[in-house]
């Protein structure tokens, strides 16, 4: 992964920035053009169906963004919990974990949390193995 700087910090999401917006602008342009040159019913039905499709796509993208943000918040909560329980920064060992392992570890109670992290470092447990190892489950009822 590249080191982030001012020149490369902007992140583009290809389906949204390079598919959704250009297609939406093209449909808008065509609909304006056809509204002045060829006001045929079949064409407007077709264009309406396409705009409905674009609306559905935008809804799915919105949900995708919400999940990305939620994952980021879960990671921040995880780091905070780790620091609270150990007094150490999680960033020092973060590279040894996958996202799925972190998301599985969030279900561990405070009593098991640090021990499971140490086990993961030694044994490279999968997310499923982590979840099965949890004795005292801490629910996450706010996850979308």
């Amino acid at each position: 992964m590249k080191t982030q700087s001012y020149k490369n910090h902007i992140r583009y999401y290809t389906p949204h920035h390079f598919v959704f917006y250009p297609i939406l602008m093209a449909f808008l342009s065509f609909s304006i053009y056809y509204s002045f040159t060829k006001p045929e019913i079949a064409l407007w039905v077709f264009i309406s169906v396409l705009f409905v499709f674009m609306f559905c796509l935008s809804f799915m993208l919105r949900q995708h963004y919400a999940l990305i943000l939620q994952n980021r918040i879960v990671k921040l909560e995880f780091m905070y919990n780790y620091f609270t329980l150990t007094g150490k920064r999680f960033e020092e060992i973060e590279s040894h974990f996958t996202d799925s392992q972190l998301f599985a570890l969030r279900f561990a109670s405070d009593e098991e949390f640090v021990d499971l992290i140490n086990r993961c470092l030694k044994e490279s447990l999968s997310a499923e193995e982590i979840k099965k190892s949890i004795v005292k489950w801490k629910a996450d009822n706010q996850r979308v």
Side-chain angles (χ1 to χ4, degrees), residues 14-33 44 46-59 61:
T14 303
H16 187 78
H17 291 101
F18 302 111
V19 176
F20 178 71
Y21 283 136
I23 290 174
L24 188 60
M25 293 307 293
F27 287 154
L28 181 60
S29 300
F30 282 122
S31 68
I32 291 170
Y33 172 76
W44 287 110
F46 175 73
I47 290 174
S48 297
V49 168
L50 291 176
F51 275 113
V52 168
F53 172 75
M54 294 307 294
F55 174 77
C56 293
L57 179 61
S58 69
F59 181 78
L61 286 172

Side-chain angles (χ1 to χ4, degrees), residues 43-95:
L43 175 66
W44 287 110
V45 169
F46 175 73
I47 290 174
S48 297
V49 168
L50 291 176
F51 275 113
V52 168
F53 172 75
M54 294 307 294
F55 174 77
C56 293
L57 179 61
S58 69
F59 181 78
M60 289 185 290
L61 286 172
R62 184 192 69 158
Q63 186 68 13
H64 177 73
Y65 290 157
L67 290 174
I68 289 173
L69 179 61
Q70 188 166 292
N71 288 343
R72 190 172 184 172
I73 292 169
V74 166
K75 287 180 186 178
L76 288 171
E77 289 174 345
F78 181 92
M79 287 191 238
Y80 175 75
N81 196 26
Y82 181 80
F83 182 77
T84 302
L85 295 173
T86 65
K88 300 176 186 174
R89 294 178 58 94
F90 182 71
E91 290 89 335
E92 297 169 5
I93 59 171
E94 185 176 10
S95 62

Side-chain angles (χ1 to χ4, degrees), residues 78 82 90 93 97 105 113-121:
F78 181 92
Y82 181 80
F90 182 71
I93 59 171
F97 293 90
L105 282 164
F113 188 73
V114 177
D115 291 335
L116 271 174
I117 289 174
N118 292 330
R119 271 191 65 203
C120 286
L121 287 171

Side-chain angles (χ1 to χ4, degrees), residues 30-43:
F30 282 122
S31 68
I32 291 170
Y33 172 76
Y34 283 120
S35 69
F36 291 109
T37 60
K38 300 178 183 181
E40 298 169 356
I41 293 175
L43 175 66

